Amino acid sequence: MSPKLTGNAQRRLLALVPAVLVLLVGALAFDQARNVVADVQEVGRSHGIIEGSDAVRARAVDAETGQRAFLLTGNEAFLEPYVGARADIDRSLDSLRRLTQAEPAQLARLTTIERLVSERFALLDTGIVLRRRGAADAASESRLMAGKNKMDQLRSLIGDLHAQEQDLLAQRRLAEQRSVRNASVAVGVAAIIALILSALVNLAFSRALTDRDTANLALRRVNEDLEHQSNQLAEQAVEMESQAAELEATAEDLRTTNDELSRTTSAAEKARDFAEDARHRLERVLDNLPDAASVFDSEWRWTYANPSAARTLLTLGVDPSEAIGQVLWDRLPALRGSRFEKETLRAVRESTVVEYEEYVRALDAWAETSIVPLPGAVMVFSRDITRRKREQQGAQLLGDASRVLASTLDYEKTLEAVARLAVGGVADWCAVDLTDSEGKVRQVVVSHRDEAKIKWAKELNKRYPPNYTGPTGVGHVIRTGQTELYADISDAMLVAAARDADHLAIMRELQIKSALIVPMIARGRTLGALTLISSGSGRRYDEADQALAMELATRAAIAIDNAQLYRSALAASDSKSAFLATMSHELRTPLNAIIGYQSLLAEGIDGRLNEPQLVQLTRIRASADHLLGLIDEVLTFSRLDVGKEVVRRDEVRLEPIIAEALTMVTPLAESKGLKLRAETVDASLFTDDGKVRQILLNLLSNAIKFSDDGEIVVRSSVDRDSVAISIIDPGIGISVENIARIFDPFWQVEQRSTRKVGGTGLGLSVSRSLARLLGGDVSVESAIDHGSTFTVTLPIRRGVNT
Ligand code: ADP
C-alpha cells in the first residue's frame, strides 16, 4: 500500500471520530427532547381532562336550565340549548374516555359519570315528554329531587375527577420541567461539542481546502496538461481520422485490387491452362513440322529440337539427344560469328522476327531461317529451300542466258557470256566444245569462278588435250547425244582418268567433286557439249541440275543454230539483191533498146506506118513503159534492201512536184473515167525531188488502180517543220488486218479474180522506205468500201530528221 493511501485512510478515520461523537450527543439530546415532548403531551392531556369535565358539568347545567324553561313555558325553542348541551356532553365524554385511557382510576370515575349523565338525561327527557303531553306532573317534585340528586352526584364525581387530574397535572409539570432541563443540558453539551467539532472540522476543512487548492492547482495543471494532451490527441485524432479515411480508401482500393486480383488470378489460371494446352498443341505441331524448329534459352542452350531439326543435326554429325541442354557453340563451333549468330542477336535486340536465306555449305543446301525472339528464349525455324532456290537460280540463269544469247549473233562471244553465267550460278567450271564445219570437235569456251584459273585451265587443256574419241566424256556425249552425270567424283575416278602423275596431281588440286556433260542439240543436230564442274563449292549435281544444264545447252545450241542460219540467210539475201540488181540492170538495157526502136518506128524513120500499125506500136510502147516501171521498182527495192539507194537533196518546191506527178497519171485516170483534183499549198523543201515524185506516183497509181469511179484528191498542208501530202481515193478500201501488212515487200491483198490488177507488191514497201530515207514516212487510213487516204510526211528543212 502506498503512503499516500495510508494518509487518506487515517484522515478518513479521524473524520469519523467527531462524526460519531456528534451522533452520540445528538442521540442523547434527541432522547431528552422526546421526553420533553411526552411530558408536554401528558400536561396537555391533564388540561384536556380538566377542561372536558368542566364542560360536562357546565353543559349539564345548561341542559337542565333549558328543560326547565320548556317545562315552564312549553316553548319548544327552549329545548334547542338542551339538545345542543346533550350533544356537546356526548362529544366531551368521548374525548375524556380517550384521554383517561391510561389512568384506570380516572377511567372508573368517568364510567360512573357517564352513567349518571345518562340517568339524569333520562329524567329530564321524561319531564319533556310529559310536558309535551300536557301532563300535570311534568314538573313533579320527586323527579326534580331525583334529578337534583343525580346532578349532585355528578358534580361531586366531576369534582373528584377534576381534583385527581389537578394532582396529576402538578406531577406532570414537574416531570416536564425536569425533562426540559435535561434536554437543555443535552442540547448545550451537543452545541459545545458541535462547536468544537465544527472548529476542528473547520480546521480540517481549511487544511483540506488548502490541500484541495493545491490539488486543484495540480489538477488544473494536470487538466491543462490533459487539455494539451487532449488537444494533441484531438489533433492526432483528426490526423488519425484522415489516416483512417486514407486507410479506408486504401482498404477499399485493396478490396478492389483484391477483387481484381482474384479475377485476374482466375483469368490467369484459365490462361495458364490454355497456355499449357496451347504448348502441347504447339509441340505437336512443331513435332510434325517439316521445317527444323529449335529453341534456345538466353544462354544459347538448346531446350528443344523437333524431329526435323534432329535429322539436320545428325547430318551435321551431332547427336540430337546429347545436344539438348548443351550450349549451341559447344556442339556447333562453326556457327560462332556466323550470320546466324548476328541475326539472332539482332532479333533479340530489336524484339523482332528476323528472316534470311543462306547457303549452308556443310549441308550443300539453301535454308530459309526465321528467328523468333521469345521472353528469355529464341525459337529458330529453318526450311530447306534448296529446291526452290536452285529452281530460281536455274530460271534466272536461263533467263539471263536467253537474253545474252539473243543479244548478238556472234555466238562465240555469247557462249563465253553464257559460260560465265553458269559459273556464277551452278558451276565452278564451265566449258563449251563445238563441232566445226569439218566435224572436228574443239573447245571454244572455258570459264572458271576464279578468273586467274581460266588461263591456267586453257594451258592445262593444251598440255593434256581432251580425248574426244574416248568411251566417255565430251566426245562421247557429242557422238551419242547422251548426257553424262558424275554426281560424286571419287579419287579412284581421278586416278583412272589421269594421263600421268602430274595430271593426277593437278586434278586432285582442282578438288573436282561433281561433273555434268550435256549435249547441245538444235533441230536434231548435236552441235557440241556443255560441261559443268563443281569443285570448291562442294555442290553435287543431281537430276534437277541435269535438266537445267540440258535446257541451257539447248538454248545455247538454238542460238548457235539461229546465228548460223542468220548468217546463211544474210548470205542468201545478199545473193538475191545482187541477182535482182543484175537482173533489172540486164533487163533494162534490152528494154531501153525496145523503147528506142519503137520510137524510131513510130516516128516513121523507116517509112510511114498505117493506122493499125501505129496502134500496135503504141501498145508495145505502153507495155514497155509498164515493164520499165516494174524493173525500176525492183531496182529501187534491191538498192534500198542493200542500203545502196543514194539520196540527192536540193532546195525544191512542193507544188510543181505534185503537179508533175498528177500530169503523169492523168491519162491513166482518164482511161478509167476518174477525176483528179489538187488542193495544195506550196512549200520549199530540202529533199530529193525524184524520190518524192516516185512516192507520189506510186500512191496515185494505186489510188487509180483500186478506184472505179469518183474523184481522187491530192491535198497538201504545211506546218513549222514538215509537209503532209494526202492522196484521198474513193476506192475499195483496205481491211484492218490487211492494213498491217500492205507495207511488206511483195505482199498484196488477195484480189477477186474478176478485178485483178497488176503489180509487184513492192510499191508501198518502196514508197515507205524512200520516205523514211528522206526523213519522213507514209501512213494510211482506210476502211473497206470507204476509200483510202495515204499520207506522206516529209521534213522541210535541211538536216531535220535526216
Ligand atoms: P501493188 O500495188 O504492186 O500490188 P503495193 O505495195 O503498191 O503493191 O500495194 C500492195 C497492196 O496494197 C495492193 O496489192 C493492194 O491490195 C493494196 N493497196 C495499195 N493501195 C491501195 C489503195 N489505194 N486502195 C486499196 N488497196 C490498196
Side-chain angles (χ1 to χ4, degrees), residues 704-719:
I704 294 165
K705 250 200 293 186
F706 297 104
S707 302
D708 291 332
D709 47 29
E711 188 180 58
I712 292 161
V713 179
V714 179
R715 188 176 291 150
S716 68
S717 62
V718 182
D719 69 16

PDB file of all heavy atoms in Angstrom, residues 704-719:
ATOM      1  N   ILE A 704      -5.694   5.127-158.284  1.00  0.00           N
ATOM      2  CA  ILE A 704      -6.438   4.948-159.543  1.00  0.00           C
ATOM      3  C   ILE A 704      -6.755   3.465-159.744  1.00  0.00           C
ATOM      4  O   ILE A 704      -7.868   3.078-160.087  1.00  0.00           O
ATOM      5  CB  ILE A 704      -5.615   5.514-160.724  1.00  0.00           C
ATOM      6  CG1 ILE A 704      -5.479   7.038-160.560  1.00  0.00           C
ATOM      7  CG2 ILE A 704      -6.257   5.166-162.073  1.00  0.00           C
ATOM      8  CD1 ILE A 704      -4.396   7.662-161.434  1.00  0.00           C
ATOM      9  N   LYS A 705      -5.712   2.615-159.462  1.00  0.00           N
ATOM     10  CA  LYS A 705      -5.878   1.170-159.653  1.00  0.00           C
ATOM     11  C   LYS A 705      -7.052   0.622-158.843  1.00  0.00           C
ATOM     12  O   LYS A 705      -7.814  -0.216-159.310  1.00  0.00           O
ATOM     13  CB  LYS A 705      -4.602   0.451-159.200  1.00  0.00           C
ATOM     14  CG  LYS A 705      -3.800  -0.152-160.319  1.00  0.00           C
ATOM     15  CD  LYS A 705      -2.843  -1.227-159.830  1.00  0.00           C
ATOM     16  CE  LYS A 705      -1.718  -0.695-158.955  1.00  0.00           C
ATOM     17  NZ  LYS A 705      -0.739  -1.753-158.636  1.00  0.00           N
ATOM     18  N   PHE A 706      -7.211   1.108-157.586  1.00  0.00           N
ATOM     19  CA  PHE A 706      -8.202   0.496-156.685  1.00  0.00           C
ATOM     20  C   PHE A 706      -9.475   1.337-156.536  1.00  0.00           C
ATOM     21  O   PHE A 706     -10.245   1.132-155.608  1.00  0.00           O
ATOM     22  CB  PHE A 706      -7.570   0.211-155.306  1.00  0.00           C
ATOM     23  CG  PHE A 706      -6.443  -0.783-155.407  1.00  0.00           C
ATOM     24  CD1 PHE A 706      -5.115  -0.393-155.329  1.00  0.00           C
ATOM     25  CD2 PHE A 706      -6.724  -2.137-155.631  1.00  0.00           C
ATOM     26  CE1 PHE A 706      -4.074  -1.310-155.447  1.00  0.00           C
ATOM     27  CE2 PHE A 706      -5.675  -3.054-155.749  1.00  0.00           C
ATOM     28  CZ  PHE A 706      -4.354  -2.653-155.653  1.00  0.00           C
ATOM     29  N   SER A 707      -9.702   2.288-157.507  1.00  0.00           N
ATOM     30  CA  SER A 707     -10.960   3.040-157.519  1.00  0.00           C
ATOM     31  C   SER A 707     -11.624   2.857-158.881  1.00  0.00           C
ATOM     32  O   SER A 707     -10.939   2.791-159.901  1.00  0.00           O
ATOM     33  CB  SER A 707     -10.702   4.532-157.280  1.00  0.00           C
ATOM     34  OG  SER A 707     -10.049   4.707-156.051  1.00  0.00           O
ATOM     35  N   ASP A 708     -12.977   2.786-158.897  1.00  0.00           N
ATOM     36  CA  ASP A 708     -13.687   2.568-160.159  1.00  0.00           C
ATOM     37  C   ASP A 708     -14.316   3.857-160.674  1.00  0.00           C
ATOM     38  O   ASP A 708     -14.450   4.038-161.879  1.00  0.00           O
ATOM     39  CB  ASP A 708     -14.773   1.500-159.977  1.00  0.00           C
ATOM     40  CG  ASP A 708     -14.114   0.135-159.744  1.00  0.00           C
ATOM     41  OD1 ASP A 708     -12.981  -0.061-160.228  1.00  0.00           O
ATOM     42  OD2 ASP A 708     -14.706  -0.703-159.019  1.00  0.00           O
ATOM     43  N   ASP A 709     -14.758   4.699-159.825  1.00  0.00           N
ATOM     44  CA  ASP A 709     -15.293   5.982-160.258  1.00  0.00           C
ATOM     45  C   ASP A 709     -15.125   7.011-159.130  1.00  0.00           C
ATOM     46  O   ASP A 709     -14.629   6.675-158.063  1.00  0.00           O
ATOM     47  CB  ASP A 709     -16.782   5.882-160.651  1.00  0.00           C
ATOM     48  CG  ASP A 709     -17.571   5.129-159.608  1.00  0.00           C
ATOM     49  OD1 ASP A 709     -17.159   5.182-158.399  1.00  0.00           O
ATOM     50  OD2 ASP A 709     -18.582   4.473-159.946  1.00  0.00           O
ATOM     51  N   GLY A 710     -15.514   8.268-159.496  1.00  0.00           N
ATOM     52  CA  GLY A 710     -15.389   9.311-158.473  1.00  0.00           C
ATOM     53  C   GLY A 710     -14.151  10.154-158.662  1.00  0.00           C
ATOM     54  O   GLY A 710     -13.586  10.219-159.751  1.00  0.00           O
ATOM     55  N   GLU A 711     -13.712  10.770-157.562  1.00  0.00           N
ATOM     56  CA  GLU A 711     -12.650  11.768-157.650  1.00  0.00           C
ATOM     57  C   GLU A 711     -11.514  11.439-156.684  1.00  0.00           C
ATOM     58  O   GLU A 711     -11.747  11.066-155.548  1.00  0.00           O
ATOM     59  CB  GLU A 711     -13.256  13.128-157.263  1.00  0.00           C
ATOM     60  CG  GLU A 711     -12.329  14.290-157.477  1.00  0.00           C
ATOM     61  CD  GLU A 711     -12.997  15.611-157.060  1.00  0.00           C
ATOM     62  OE1 GLU A 711     -13.403  15.705-155.869  1.00  0.00           O
ATOM     63  OE2 GLU A 711     -13.133  16.492-157.886  1.00  0.00           O
ATOM     64  N   ILE A 712     -10.310  11.625-157.224  1.00  0.00           N
ATOM     65  CA  ILE A 712      -9.131  11.423-156.359  1.00  0.00           C
ATOM     66  C   ILE A 712      -8.570  12.813-156.058  1.00  0.00           C
ATOM     67  O   ILE A 712      -8.362  13.618-156.973  1.00  0.00           O
ATOM     68  CB  ILE A 712      -8.093  10.553-157.083  1.00  0.00           C
ATOM     69  CG1 ILE A 712      -8.671   9.120-157.220  1.00  0.00           C
ATOM     70  CG2 ILE A 712      -6.777  10.499-156.311  1.00  0.00           C
ATOM     71  CD1 ILE A 712      -7.991   8.312-158.284  1.00  0.00           C
ATOM     72  N   VAL A 713      -8.404  13.064-154.762  1.00  0.00           N
ATOM     73  CA  VAL A 713      -7.960  14.392-154.330  1.00  0.00           C
ATOM     74  C   VAL A 713      -6.535  14.303-153.781  1.00  0.00           C
ATOM     75  O   VAL A 713      -6.216  13.393-153.023  1.00  0.00           O
ATOM     76  CB  VAL A 713      -8.903  14.956-153.230  1.00  0.00           C
ATOM     77  CG1 VAL A 713      -8.437  16.335-152.764  1.00  0.00           C
ATOM     78  CG2 VAL A 713     -10.327  15.015-153.737  1.00  0.00           C
ATOM     79  N   VAL A 714      -5.714  15.294-154.197  1.00  0.00           N
ATOM     80  CA  VAL A 714      -4.367  15.393-153.604  1.00  0.00           C
ATOM     81  C   VAL A 714      -4.356  16.679-152.774  1.00  0.00           C
ATOM     82  O   VAL A 714      -4.602  17.752-153.278  1.00  0.00           O
ATOM     83  CB  VAL A 714      -3.285  15.456-154.701  1.00  0.00           C
ATOM     84  CG1 VAL A 714      -1.905  15.570-154.060  1.00  0.00           C
ATOM     85  CG2 VAL A 714      -3.351  14.232-155.589  1.00  0.00           C
ATOM     86  N   ARG A 715      -4.127  16.510-151.478  1.00  0.00           N
ATOM     87  CA  ARG A 715      -4.204  17.672-150.581  1.00  0.00           C
ATOM     88  C   ARG A 715      -2.866  17.789-149.841  1.00  0.00           C
ATOM     89  O   ARG A 715      -2.338  16.781-149.357  1.00  0.00           O
ATOM     90  CB  ARG A 715      -5.332  17.432-149.576  1.00  0.00           C
ATOM     91  CG  ARG A 715      -5.652  18.640-148.717  1.00  0.00           C
ATOM     92  CD  ARG A 715      -6.842  18.331-147.837  1.00  0.00           C
ATOM     93  NE  ARG A 715      -8.066  18.202-148.608  1.00  0.00           N
ATOM     94  CZ  ARG A 715      -9.094  17.416-148.278  1.00  0.00           C
ATOM     95  NH1 ARG A 715      -9.019  16.647-147.216  1.00  0.00           N
ATOM     96  NH2 ARG A 715     -10.176  17.374-149.017  1.00  0.00           N
ATOM     97  N   SER A 716      -2.370  19.028-149.806  1.00  0.00           N
ATOM     98  CA  SER A 716      -1.110  19.191-149.057  1.00  0.00           C
ATOM     99  C   SER A 716      -1.293  20.226-147.950  1.00  0.00           C
ATOM    100  O   SER A 716      -2.123  21.117-148.069  1.00  0.00           O
ATOM    101  CB  SER A 716       0.024  19.609-149.993  1.00  0.00           C
ATOM    102  OG  SER A 716      -0.197  20.915-150.476  1.00  0.00           O
ATOM    103  N   SER A 717      -0.533  20.060-146.929  1.00  0.00           N
ATOM    104  CA  SER A 717      -0.559  21.032-145.822  1.00  0.00           C
ATOM    105  C   SER A 717       0.860  21.198-145.292  1.00  0.00           C
ATOM    106  O   SER A 717       1.685  20.287-145.429  1.00  0.00           O
ATOM    107  CB  SER A 717      -1.499  20.561-144.710  1.00  0.00           C
ATOM    108  OG  SER A 717      -1.028  19.351-144.186  1.00  0.00           O
ATOM    109  N   VAL A 718       1.091  22.363-144.698  1.00  0.00           N
ATOM    110  CA  VAL A 718       2.456  22.663-144.235  1.00  0.00           C
ATOM    111  C   VAL A 718       2.393  23.096-142.773  1.00  0.00           C
ATOM    112  O   VAL A 718       1.509  23.862-142.403  1.00  0.00           O
ATOM    113  CB  VAL A 718       3.062  23.817-145.085  1.00  0.00           C
ATOM    114  CG1 VAL A 718       4.495  24.108-144.642  1.00  0.00           C
ATOM    115  CG2 VAL A 718       3.016  23.488-146.551  1.00  0.00           C
ATOM    116  N   ASP A 719       3.273  22.603-141.964  1.00  0.00           N
ATOM    117  CA  ASP A 719       3.394  23.203-140.618  1.00  0.00           C
ATOM    118  C   ASP A 719       4.844  23.622-140.406  1.00  0.00           C
ATOM    119  O   ASP A 719       5.615  23.691-141.349  1.00  0.00           O
ATOM    120  CB  ASP A 719       2.826  22.285-139.524  1.00  0.00           C
ATOM    121  CG  ASP A 719       3.663  21.047-139.317  1.00  0.00           C
ATOM    122  OD1 ASP A 719       4.824  21.033-139.775  1.00  0.00           O
ATOM    123  OD2 ASP A 719       3.161  20.086-138.694  1.00  0.00           O
TER     124      ASP A 719
END
